[in-house]
């Protein structure tokens, strides 16, 4: 567009190793300036475009934290870049996925956040999304609770509560909704970041897109969302998804960040069962492959590693397998009807549920639920068949009538 | 009406329960039967109707600068918060409502004034829809083992039992009367369900008056007779649904439970369902959790757990499962009792029947089941659901729990029930509404004395008339889940029990899924039916046309016009959808642009309000025709599927925890 351009600055992964070679940045920012901005951002993850909201031209950007440190360093190019993403007279929100406290503490380690004095057109919002080991412990506790064979109702609920898993789901979903709300309702642009911008940031930006953009709710659209916002954006799958819930050794970098994202998608899917082209099975499949896969898609921590490992040459892509016709039919939602609107999920505790399809998969009888699925497919299929038959018959009738008329006119 | 001090109050504000910032101003009316709130200004002039009999409590809160808040809590879990400008008015409304919500005579109840404009014949037909004689015949009695006993013809033996009950053939009048004298409130063992296939049965009674050592020969013979009526088995289970401790405490009062030594061939079993007082408090606690303003996940889960509600639901289900297993798998008859045998016993017998017999999972069968195990056997509807002013300690959500058990089963067996969630919610609603006569009074005897059938209408006929709304599109009678007994997972099933927000947060539309699979599938099925019809019409016409063309080549262009235009759904999948409050931070933002550029979303909110309600009496526009909804429109409307008096509520906003 007029305001944004592709930049190949990261062609050899030289500026930011966890970014893809090509990124989208404001047009008025030169590559030279980008290099300077990268110096000012954690792991060189300078702000890039994540999503462009066609309806009103607002954008969502993501980055890592600015390296302001304790003495409040500034970077003119960074300020210029961020302001360049705004249209004249417009304002924006910076959504920091850390609580204010955590963000302030980060200054001591050289990190920090944008001072509103230096970014006068932006307002900062802090939302506390947990990270790393807290999430991992939460997952371990949850899986433990789900596998507990005792029959005591009370213990089940308190264990579910103690795992805090649903609290994390609620927090992430709420923050994503907030970002979407800023863009769609407030008509403001948004910059999302946490510390590195590789975890909670991506949860928020990708979920916001699912809420805002109907294309992300199709199978292809969701696939490209995962590619864009997770794989290319440098979510370190190798580090995060190494051991899953049953590991005793404390892996420092292990965290179910992607699983939480999928869980949130499932929550939205449950609330809008007709608005997604894919079904729950699709999400479960992605979850499985993110931890262990015969495909190379989720290997490595970022594009640069994948390029070094020559994965595209050496392994098959999950997507090419999923997109084959016979596989695809398993993942299609029979009651999908394209919904072009923004979908706003409810995030009250009453509205969120444990994702039984993943966590209780081995502990609940699935036979009856599968039968229900089949029945649903049957109903829809029969309806389609009849529609086709009626169409054929109508056409036939029209032909016969026309023929009759022609004969009558003779 | 003499109790209405203040028929109309203006400038009343109706607060949104989830968002204190949102309130609508309108006029409050008190009528003889309803509280009505009519919104000012807006073109729709939304109305909120609340039946007096639905009012559970009224709370007047401390006056604030803006007025005097009044909170009305309803038995169908609606909560209405009003702010009345003048303290005096508020007081008058409060006093009036307190009186109106607690009628002292049955004649004050709505069903005696409710008139759905049916003639006498239709009303009588309505009452005949559910026929228990037919039902017992369907089960296969009377037969060689069971017969009707007429000892209770004039309610002479037990005034809370129906006149006609089934007992074993070998139980003589002498045995029955003797046994009745040894049972609390003379509720002797009688047949609840009979299993044709293996002769096993479920019988019900109250506790025996055994105290520490008392015996009764006739009662022992009665149980013996029940065992003999099932020749395939050499013992029966006696299930006491109470916790053992409670049953033992009852012994001190001369009541108690059967001693295995005194009765030949019984196996005795405690189940441990808590009493009505525990259940009442549990519900209260759970509702407090539901009412929390923007609770955190922890608040909610803790609260839910502390209420113990789901634990109680599970206990009832477990009892039902135990009995169903005994009957279906072991072929052993079961005698169920609790204390008086009209609360827990009713719950457990009906859950077991539901598991055992697919018929009870149909719409008609479910009505029959409630009529049989609850209405006819003297469940004290009036006391439990507070229809008339009475002892608050008698109130308890006994049948609510049964209805929830059904819902939990529906979640586990999506294809097993002919009816859907809406059906359950409407039944719950009407148990409290007193709009129909079915659930009035505490026993058949009282209902007959009041001539209920001559003076009121039957809910069953009303539901049956609108049955299209209550169908479960996934149900198929030939489906595997509908052959014989359902086997819910026994263990580990604790996490299969879920909070039922569709019931307890029924009026918080913002909390519920915005699209309903059920509604969508129902619309598809409707369309399928139209297609089938059209296919037939087209086929016929084609045939005729071909025939006539062969004959005399007449042009029948006339038919062109008749061509029925099938409304293939092209509806955009519209959803009234506005973002919810995800953060308080946004409020402080100065440049909240007024042009939100969202005409499509906001415009749709209006269409959303065309509530699809099968109950003209329930919905706000009470005089509208009920059958106007356009079923060919496929858009499953988020909240519009519930019976509602809450059209005054904007269905799509909810508050979210602020960062």
């Amino acid at each position: 567009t007029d305001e944004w351009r592709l930049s190949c600055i990261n062609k050899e992964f030289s500026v930011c190793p966890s970014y893809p070679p090509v990124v989208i940045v404001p047009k008025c920012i030169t590559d030279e300036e980008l290099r300077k901005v990268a110096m000012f951002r954690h792991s060189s993850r300078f702000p890039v475009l994540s999503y462009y909201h066609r309806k009103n031209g607002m954008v969502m950007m993501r980055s890592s934290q600015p390296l302001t440190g304790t003495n409040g360093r500034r970077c003119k190019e960074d300020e210029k870049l961020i302001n360049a993403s705004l249209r004249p007279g417009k304002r924006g929100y910076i959504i920091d996925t850390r609580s204010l406290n955590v963000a302030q503490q980060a200054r001591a380690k050289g990190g920090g956040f944008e001072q509103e004095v230096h970014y006068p057109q932006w307002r900062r919002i802090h939302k506390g999304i947990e990270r790393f080991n807290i999430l991992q412990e939460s997952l371990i506790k949850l899986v433990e609770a789900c596998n507990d064979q005792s029959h005591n109702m009370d213990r089940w609920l308190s264990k579910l509560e103690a795992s805090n898993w649903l609290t994390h789901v609620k927090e992430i979903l709420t923050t994503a909704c907030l970002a979407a709300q800023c863009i769609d309702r407030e008509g403001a642009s948004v910059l999302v970041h946490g510390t590195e911008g590789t975890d909670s940031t991506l949860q928020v930006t990708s979920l916001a897109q699912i809420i805002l953009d109907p294309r992300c709710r199709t199978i292809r659209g969701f696939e490209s969302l995962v590619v864009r916002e997770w794989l290319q954006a440098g979510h370190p799958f190798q580090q995060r998804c190494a051991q899953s819930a049953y590991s005793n050794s404390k892996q420092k970098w292990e965290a179910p960040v992607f699983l939480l994202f999928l869980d949130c998608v499932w929550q939205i899917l449950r609330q809008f069962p007709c608005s997604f082209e894919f079904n729950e099975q699709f999400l479960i499949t992605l979850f499985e492959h993110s931890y262990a896969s015969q495909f190379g898609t989720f290997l490595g921590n970022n594009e640069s590693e994948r390029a070094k490992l020559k994965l595209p040459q050496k392994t098959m892509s999950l997507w090419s397998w999923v997109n084959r016709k016979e596989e695809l039919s398993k993942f299609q939602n029979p009651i999908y009807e394209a919904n072009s609107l923004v979908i706003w999920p409810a995030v009250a505790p009453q509205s969120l549920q444990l994702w039984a399809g993943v966590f209780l998969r081995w502990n609940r009888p699935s036979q009856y639920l599968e039968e229900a699925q089949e029945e649903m497919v049957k109903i829809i299929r029969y309806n389609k068949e009849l529609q086709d038959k009626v169409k054929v018959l109508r056409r036939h009738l029209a032909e016969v009538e026309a023929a009759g008329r022609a004969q009558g006119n003779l | 009406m003499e109790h209405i001090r203040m028929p109309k109050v203006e400038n009343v504000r109706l607060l949104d329960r989830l968002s204190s910032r949102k309130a609508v101003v309108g006029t409050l009316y008190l009528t003889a039967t309803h509280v009505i709130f009519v919104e000012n200004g807006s073109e729709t002039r939304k109305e909120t109707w609340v039946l007096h009999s639905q009012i559970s409590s009224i709370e007047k809160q401390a006056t604030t600068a803006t007025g005097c808040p009044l909170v009305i809590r309803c038995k169908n879990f609606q909560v209405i918060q009003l702010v009345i400008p003048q303290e005096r008015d508020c007081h008058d409304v409060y006093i009036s409502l307190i009186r109106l919500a607690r009628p002292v005579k049955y004649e004050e109840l709505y069903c005696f004034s409710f008139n759905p404009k049916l003639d006498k014949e239709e009303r009588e037909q309505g009452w005949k829809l559910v026929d228990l004689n037919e039902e017992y015949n369907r089960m296969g009695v009377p037969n060689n083992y069971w017969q009707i006993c007429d000892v209770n013809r004039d309610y002479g033996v037990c005034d809370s039992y129906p006149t006609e009950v089934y007992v074993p053939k070998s139980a003589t009048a002498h045995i029955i009367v003797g046994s009745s004298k040894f049972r609390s409130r003379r509720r002797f063992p009688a047949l609840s369900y009979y299993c044709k296939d293996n002769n096993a049965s479920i019988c019900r009674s109250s506790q025996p008056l055994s105290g520490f050592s008392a015996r009764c020969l006739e009662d022992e013979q009665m149980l013996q007779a029940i065992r003999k009526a099932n020749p395939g088995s050499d013992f029966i289970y006696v299930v006491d649904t109470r916790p053992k401790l409670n049953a033992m405490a009852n012994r001190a009062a001369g009541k108690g439970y059967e001693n295995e030594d005194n009765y030949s061939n019984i196996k005795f079993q405690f189940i441990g369902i808590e009493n009505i007082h525990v259940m009442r408090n549990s519900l209260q606690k759970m509702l407090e959790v539901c009412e929390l303003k923007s609770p955190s996940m922890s608040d909610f889960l803790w609260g839910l757990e502390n209420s113990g509600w789901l634990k109680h639901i599970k206990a009832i289900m477990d009892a039902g499962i135990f009995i169903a297993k005994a009957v279906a798998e072991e072929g052993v008859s079961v005698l169920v009792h609790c204390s008086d045998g009209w609360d827990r016993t009713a719950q457990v017998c009906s859950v077991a029947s539901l598991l055992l017999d697919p018929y009870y999972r149909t719409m008609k069968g479910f009505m029959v089941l409630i009529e049989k195990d609850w209405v006819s056997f003297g469940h004290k509807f009036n006391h439990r659901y507070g229809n008339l002013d009475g002892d608050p300690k008698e109130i308890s959500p006994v049948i609510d729990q049964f209805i929830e058990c059904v819902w939990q089963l529906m979640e586990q067996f999506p294809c097993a029930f002919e009816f859907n969630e809406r059906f359950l919610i409407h039944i719950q609603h009407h148990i409290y509404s007193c709009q129909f006569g079915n659930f009035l009074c505490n026993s058949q005897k009282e209902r007959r004395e009041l001539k209920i059938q001559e003076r009121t209408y039957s809910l069953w006929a009303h539901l049956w008339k609108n049955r299209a709304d209550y169908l479960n599109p996934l149900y198929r009678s030939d489906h595997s889940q509908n052959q014989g007994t359902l086997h819910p997972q026994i263990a580990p099933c604790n996490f299969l029990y879920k909070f039922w927000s569709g019931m307890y947060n029924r009026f918080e539309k913002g909390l519920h899924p915005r699209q309903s699979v059920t509604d969508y599938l129902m619309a598809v099925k409707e369309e399928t039916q139209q297609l089938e019809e059209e296919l037939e019409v087209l086929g016929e016409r084609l045939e005729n046309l071909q025939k006539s063309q062969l004959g005399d080549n007449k042009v029948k262009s006339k038919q062109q016009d008749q061509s029925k235009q099938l409304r293939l759904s092209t509806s955009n999948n519209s959803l009234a959808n506005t973002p919810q409050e995800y953060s308080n931070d946004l409020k402080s933002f100065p440049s909240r642009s007024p042009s939100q550029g969202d005409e499509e979303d906001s415009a749709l909110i209006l269409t959303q309000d065309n509530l699809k309600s099968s109950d003209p009496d329930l919905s706000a526009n009470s005089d509208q025709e009920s059958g106007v909804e356009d079923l060919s429109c496929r858009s499953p409307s988020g909240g519009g599927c519930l019976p509602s008096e809450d059209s005054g509520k904007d269905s799509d906003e909810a508050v979210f925890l602020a960062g």
Side-chain angles (χ1 to χ4, degrees):
Chain A
T1 65
D2 309 342
E3 296 148 312
W4 300 88
R5 69 180 179 95
L6 290 173
S7 165
C8 299
I9 182 176
N10 202 30
K11 201 160 52 188
E12 307 290 328
F13 305 105
S14 52
V15 176
C16 172
S18 62
Y19 268 178
V22 181
V23 292
I24 304 174
V25 293
K27 206 164 199 173
C28 56
I29 303 295
T30 63
D31 282 358
E32 209 36 56
E33 283 167 320
L34 281 180
R35 265 181 245 283
K36 285 196 179 134
V37 177
M39 306 275 281
F40 183 64
R41 291 277 169 176
H42 193 115
S43 307
S44 310
R45 294 173 63 89
F46 53 88
V48 295
L49 183 79
S50 160
Y51 172 68
Y52 179 83
H53 196 47
R54 279 193 206 167
K55 199 159 89 184
N56 58 9
M58 293 300 128
V59 298
M60 180 160 57
M61 291 189 300
R62 54 178 157 75
S63 70
S64 59
Q65 63 177 349
L67 301 174
T68 53
T70 35
N71 45 14
R73 267 180 61 204
R74 290 179 62 176
C75 170
K76 283 221 176 66
E77 289 78 8
D78 190 70
E79 288 160 27
K80 183 180 169 198
L81 191 162
I82 289 176
N83 279 332
S85 68
L86 289 180
R87 291 198 173 155
K90 287 282 185 180
R91 285 168 173 270
Y93 289 96
I94 295 172
I95 295 179
D96 194 323
T97 60
R98 305 162 294 182
S99 68
L100 183 59
N101 243 334
V102 174
Q104 275 165 347
Q105 282 162 14
R107 287 196 293 202
K109 293 182 194 154
F113 50 85
E114 295 82 356
Q115 295 285 348
E116 284 183 11
V117 223
H118 303 145
Y119 300 84
Q121 283 162 290
W122 293 78
R123 183 165 293 265
R124 217 177 54 243
I125 301 173
H126 287 278
K127 283 283 191 181
I129 297 180
E130 294 294 351
R131 298 152 33 90
F132 303 140
N133 55 335
I134 294 181
L135 298 183
Q136 183 62 15
E137 270 165 33
S138 169
L139 177 66
I140 291 172
K141 277 189 198 158
L142 175 69
V143 171
E144 236 173 57
C146 291
N147 290 332
D148 178 12
Q149 303 290 322
S150 78
H151 294 220
N152 195 325
M153 194 75 212
D154 279 5
R155 283 187 43 215
W156 157 245
L157 278 176
S158 55
K159 279 183 168 180
L160 178 61
E161 192 274 326
S163 79
N164 269 327
W165 182 264
L166 285 171
T167 304
H168 301 315
V169 169
K170 184 174 187 295
E171 279 310 315
I172 295 165
L173 214 45
T174 308
T175 310
C177 290
L178 177 69
Q181 191 179 12
C182 292
I183 293 170
D184 189 68
R185 291 293 157 139
E186 303 290 325
S189 286
V190 169
L191 167 68
V192 185
H193 71 73
T195 304
E196 297 90 347
T198 54
D199 295 288
S200 54
T201 305
L202 303 182
Q203 289 170 332
V204 171
T205 56
S206 51
L207 285 168
Q209 291 179 52
I210 285 170
I211 293 165
L212 293 170
D213 187 355
R215 275 172 310 168
C216 293
R217 300 173 219 141
T218 64
I219 291 182
R220 293 300 172 101
F222 190 76
E223 286 170 5
S224 68
L225 179 75
V226 171
V227 170
R228 232 173 36 237
E229 290 300 299
W230 291 88
L231 293 166
Q232 294 186 348
H235 175 66
F237 278 97
Q238 189 112 333
Q239 288 177 353
R240 299 288 183 265
C241 308
Q243 306 279 339
S244 186
Y246 293 110
S247 72
N248 291 320
S249 58
K250 285 255 157 73
Q251 293 273 330
K252 199 181 169 201
W253 303 115
E254 179 82 22
V257 178
F258 188 61
L259 173 57
L260 271 165
F261 159 69
L262 293 176
D263 195 331
C264 291
V265 177
W266 177 79
Q267 304 284 353
I268 307 176
L269 170 65
R270 203 186 68 81
Q271 295 184 26
F272 294 88
C274 308
S275 298
F276 287 81
E277 195 193 358
F278 50 86
N279 59 17
E280 179 178 3
Q281 195 52 45
F282 184 61
L283 298 175
I284 296 175
T285 304
L286 289 186
F287 153 65
E288 285 175 335
H289 284 287
S290 69
Y291 277 88
S293 176
Q294 62 271 48
F295 302 101
T297 304
F298 290 111
L299 288 181
N301 287 318
N302 49 50
E303 287 294 287
S304 126
E305 283 190 28
R306 278 186 278 272
K308 271 183 214 137
L309 289 168
K310 296 210 168 52
L311 288 176
Q313 290 83 24
K314 285 187 189 162
T315 64
M316 283 270 293
S317 157
L318 171 65
W319 312 122
S320 64
W321 178 73
V322 163
N323 288 338
R324 290 185 319 168
K325 224 178 176 179
E326 55 272 32
E327 296 301 324
L328 208 56
S329 65
K330 284 187 218 157
F331 302 130
Q332 271 161 346
N333 175 8
I335 56 173
Y336 170 62
E337 210 153 86
N339 173 0
S340 60
L341 299 180
V342 176
I343 54 176
W344 301 104
V347 299
Q350 291 99 318
S351 313
L352 303 178
Q353 281 186 6
L354 180 69
W355 190 7
V358 164
F359 299 110
L360 303 175
R361 189 144 56 128
W362 315 112
N363 295 324
R364 64 166 187 177
S366 54
Q367 175 200 349
Y368 304 112
L369 303 175
E370 279 161 19
E371 280 175 4
Q373 275 295 321
E374 281 166 26
E375 187 61 36
M376 213 183 277
V377 173
K378 259 188 231 159
I379 291 171
I380 302 288
R381 198 189 297 139
Y382 182 56
N383 178 274
K384 292 260 154 63
E385 273 170 25
L386 280 183
Q387 280 188 14
D388 291 344
K389 270 191 201 157
V390 165
K391 261 183 223 151
V392 169
L393 211 58
R394 265 198 205 147
R395 203 179 307 133
H396 189 65
L397 192 69
E399 278 165 14
V400 172
E401 274 175 350
R405 239 191 319 272
Q407 279 186 353
N409 289 342
L410 280 176
Chain B
M1 279 266 296
E2 72 263 47
H3 309 303
I4 299 172
R5 293 185 168 199
M6 192 82 195
K8 180 180 169 189
V9 188
E10 284 179 345
N11 291 320
V12 173
R13 285 189 304 141
L14 176 71
L15 301 186
D16 190 299
R17 183 163 138 194
L18 291 168
S19 161
S20 49
R21 287 190 298 146
K22 254 182 50 176
V24 286
V25 181
T27 308
L28 186 74
Y29 298 90
L30 299 189
T31 73
T33 53
H34 288 85
V35 183
I36 307 163
F37 178 85
V38 183
E39 221 174 274
N40 283 351
S42 70
E43 279 172 35
T44 47
R45 289 183 70 85
K46 277 200 235 161
E47 297 173 2
T48 306
W49 290 55
V50 176
L51 258 173
H52 294 327
S53 45
Q54 285 288 4
I55 296 174
S56 163
S57 74
I58 311 142
E59 187 190 338
K60 209 176 110 193
Q61 295 172 338
T63 311
T64 64
T66 50
C68 191
L70 194 69
V71 181
I72 303 174
R73 290 190 177 79
C74 298
K75 296 167 182 172
N76 58 5
F77 312 117
Q78 184 171 21
V79 178
I80 293 174
Q81 296 185 21
L82 300 167
V83 179
I84 297 174
Q86 297 297 319
E87 207 276 333
R88 245 186 68 90
D89 293 346
C90 183
H91 185 72
D92 283 347
V93 171
Y94 175 70
I95 296 293
S96 310
L97 281 181
I98 281 200
R99 176 61 188 84
L100 291 168
R102 287 171 201 162
V104 290
K105 287 197 310 268
Y106 282 118
E107 280 74 8
E108 292 177 40
L109 293 175
Y110 185 39
C111 57
F112 289 100
S113 55
F114 171 67
N115 185 352
K117 298 189 183 71
L118 296 174
D119 58 33
K120 186 160 167 280
E121 205 170 298
E122 283 175 294
R123 194 190 62 218
E124 283 167 5
Q125 280 299 319
W127 282 109
K128 282 183 191 143
L129 183 72
V130 171
D131 181 347
L132 286 186
N133 278 327
E134 229 170 70
E135 166 59 9
Y136 284 109
N137 293 339
R138 188 195 66 85
M139 277 187 217
V141 291
N143 61 7
N144 287 335
Y145 305 110
W146 296 90
Q147 63 181 12
I148 291 193
C149 84
D150 56 358
V151 292
N152 203 36
R153 210 180 311 116
D154 321 309
Y155 305 103
V157 175
C158 173
D159 61 1
S160 61
Y161 263 17
T163 48
E164 290 177 346
V165 291
Y166 280 82
V167 293
K169 229 172 186 172
S170 59
T172 61
H174 172 73
I175 292 178
I176 296 167
V177 173
S179 165
S180 77
K181 286 180 181 155
F182 190 62
R183 295 270 167 185
S184 271
R185 302 184 193 265
R186 313 191 73 183
R187 292 169 67 90
F188 56 89
L191 183 73
S192 164
Y193 179 72
Y194 172 75
C195 181
K196 263 196 291 232
D197 302 336
N198 58 8
N199 292 317
S201 63
I202 303 173
C203 294
R204 53 184 291 172
S205 71
S206 59
Q207 63 186 343
L209 304 175
S210 52
F212 289 100
S213 59
R215 294 181 61 167
C216 168
L217 184 64
E218 289 88 349
D219 195 58
E220 289 161 25
Q221 286 170 334
M222 185 75 191
L223 266 60
Q224 187 82 334
I226 293 172
R227 184 184 64 75
K228 279 192 203 141
N230 179 10
S233 158
D234 49 13
F235 70 96
I236 63 168
Y237 283 111
V238 175
V239 171
D240 190 328
T241 56
R242 297 168 293 182
K244 191 172 183 183
L245 218 60
N246 301 20
M248 295 200 352
N250 262 300
R251 288 207 296 196
K255 301 163 187 172
Y257 53 92
E258 291 83 354
N259 184 339
E260 279 190 5
D261 300 336
N262 296 342
Y263 293 82
S264 50
N265 306 317
I266 67 164
K267 280 194 184 168
F268 190 84
Q269 179 85 34
F270 285 113
I271 294 274
I273 302 173
E274 299 290 346
N275 64 25
I276 56 167
H277 311 294
V278 175
M279 299 305 190
R280 180 179 55 243
N281 292 334
S282 172
L283 178 65
Q284 189 54 42
K285 278 191 196 158
M286 185 175 71
L287 292 180
E288 277 163 22
V289 176
C290 297
E291 243 188 271
L292 287 177
K293 273 189 181 154
S294 49
S296 75
M297 205 74 211
S298 296
D299 293 341
F300 177 72
L301 289 174
W302 266 118
L304 188 59
E305 153 145 359
N306 281 336
S307 77
W309 181 258
L310 289 174
K311 188 178 72 185
H312 299 313
I313 296 293
K314 183 175 182 295
I316 296 163
M317 284 290 292
D318 285 346
I321 292 166
F322 174 84
I323 294 165
K325 273 189 124 178
V327 169
E329 289 169 22
E330 300 177 54
V332 177
S333 295
V334 185
L335 171 67
V336 188
H337 69 73
C338 45
S339 296
D340 289 317
W342 53 39
D343 294 318
R344 286 167 275 198
T345 302
Q347 289 175 331
V348 168
C349 287
S350 45
V351 168
S353 303
L354 199 72
L355 291 172
L356 283 167
D357 195 334
Y359 175 67
Y360 297 126
R361 290 173 236 138
T362 65
M363 212 176 278
K364 183 82 177 293
F366 191 70
M367 298 173 181
V368 168
L369 182 66
I370 290 185
E371 198 67 31
K372 171 173 73 81
D373 278 334
W374 296 82
V375 178
S376 86
F377 271 106
H379 176 64
K380 300 203 292 176
F381 282 94
N382 176 36
H383 286 166
R384 294 293 174 262
Y385 313 117
N387 296 341
L388 295 188
D389 195 21
D391 181 1
K393 285 213 166 63
E394 283 280 330
I395 292 175
S396 186
V398 182
I399 201 167
D400 302 64
Q401 289 184 316
F402 165 63
I403 291 173
E404 176 162 343
C405 286
V406 182
W407 179 78
Q408 301 280 1
L409 282 172
M410 277 163 64
E411 288 285 296
Q412 287 187 44
F413 300 95
C415 306
F417 292 84
E418 190 192 16
F419 46 85
N420 57 31
E421 180 184 20
R422 197 178 303 154
F423 187 61
L424 297 179
I425 291 175
H426 281 201
I427 291 177
Q428 192 273 352
H429 178 93
H430 284 299
I431 283 166
Y432 290 92
S433 76
C434 300
Q435 185 174 341
F436 298 92
N438 302 60
F439 308 119
L440 246 48
C441 307
N442 293 320
S443 67
Q444 190 186 64
K445 180 168 179 252
E446 288 182 38
R447 276 187 293 275
R448 291 215 175 147
E449 280 163 5
L450 261 180
K451 297 193 169 40
I452 291 292
Q453 299 210 353
E454 288 150 54
R455 300 165 70 191
T456 70
Y457 294 84
S458 167
L459 170 65
W460 305 134
H462 175 75
L463 293 178
W464 188 247
K465 199 177 77 198
N466 298 305
R467 61 186 171 278
D469 288 348
Y470 302 123
L471 285 174
N472 170 14
L474 294 175
Y475 174 77
R476 268 180 35 203
S477 53
D478 55 348
H479 208 274
S480 69
Q481 292 177 29
N482 303 311
Q483 309 298 319
T485 314
L486 283 187
H487 296 284
Q489 267 255 327
I490 314 284
C493 57
N494 34 10
F495 28 64
L496 294 178
Y497 292 90
K498 290 185 285 196
F499 171 73
W500 188 7
S501 64
M503 176 64 91
Y504 305 106
N505 282 113
R506 181 179 151 196
F507 292 91
E508 272 74 35
K509 298 270 163 63
L511 299 178
H512 301 150
R514 299 310 180 79
Q515 294 176 322
S516 149
V517 177
T518 302
D519 288 349
Y520 182 86
L521 290 176
M522 271 161 80
V524 169
K525 277 195 137 177
E526 177 100 356
E527 192 196 69
T528 302
Q529 211 181 338
Q530 286 177 11
L531 285 168
E532 275 171 347
E533 282 162 19
E534 195 192 354
L535 211 54
E536 208 170 296
V537 171
L538 286 175
E540 262 171 42
R541 276 179 45 200
L542 195 62
E543 213 173 289
N544 288 342
L545 213 58
Q546 278 166 342
K547 261 188 220 154
S548 67
Q549 279 184 3
L550 288 175
D552 58 4
N553 289 338
K554 241 183 205 164
V555 187
K556 291 186 176 174
S557 58
K558 215 171 37 181
Q559 283 189 341
Q560 193 73 35
D561 311 325
Q562 293 170 354
S563 158
K564 187 174 142 201
Q565 263 307 318
L566 190 78
R567 285 168 302 166
L568 285 179
S569 85
T570 47
S571 71
N572 60 337
N573 203 334
S574 55
L575 288 158
N577 236 343
T578 54
Q580 324 195 331
E581 283 174 31
Y582 299 108
S583 170
N584 282 341
D585 301 339
L586 282 183
K587 277 186 278 183
S588 55
F589 197 72
S591 72
R592 189 169 177 133
S593 96
S595 68
Q596 306 217 324
D598 244 338
E599 300 81 15
E600 43 172 343
D601 290 16
S602 28
L604 283 164
I605 294 171
L606 295 174
T607 62
Q608 182 80 355
D609 285 332
N610 297 325
L611 291 178
K612 180 185 161 190
S613 168
S614 58
D615 263 16
D617 325 305
L618 285 174
S619 75
N621 314 314
S622 57
D623 41 6
Q624 265 183 11
E625 258 307 304
S626 63
V628 289
E629 74 270 351
D630 179 11
L631 280 169
S632 75
C633 164
R634 270 206 204 165
S635 42
S637 54
C641 50
L642 299 166
S644 79
E645 293 147 349
D646 68 328
S647 59
K649 223 174 234 178
D650 207 337
S651 65
D652 44 50
E653 293 238 351
V655 166
F656 293 91
L657 186 67

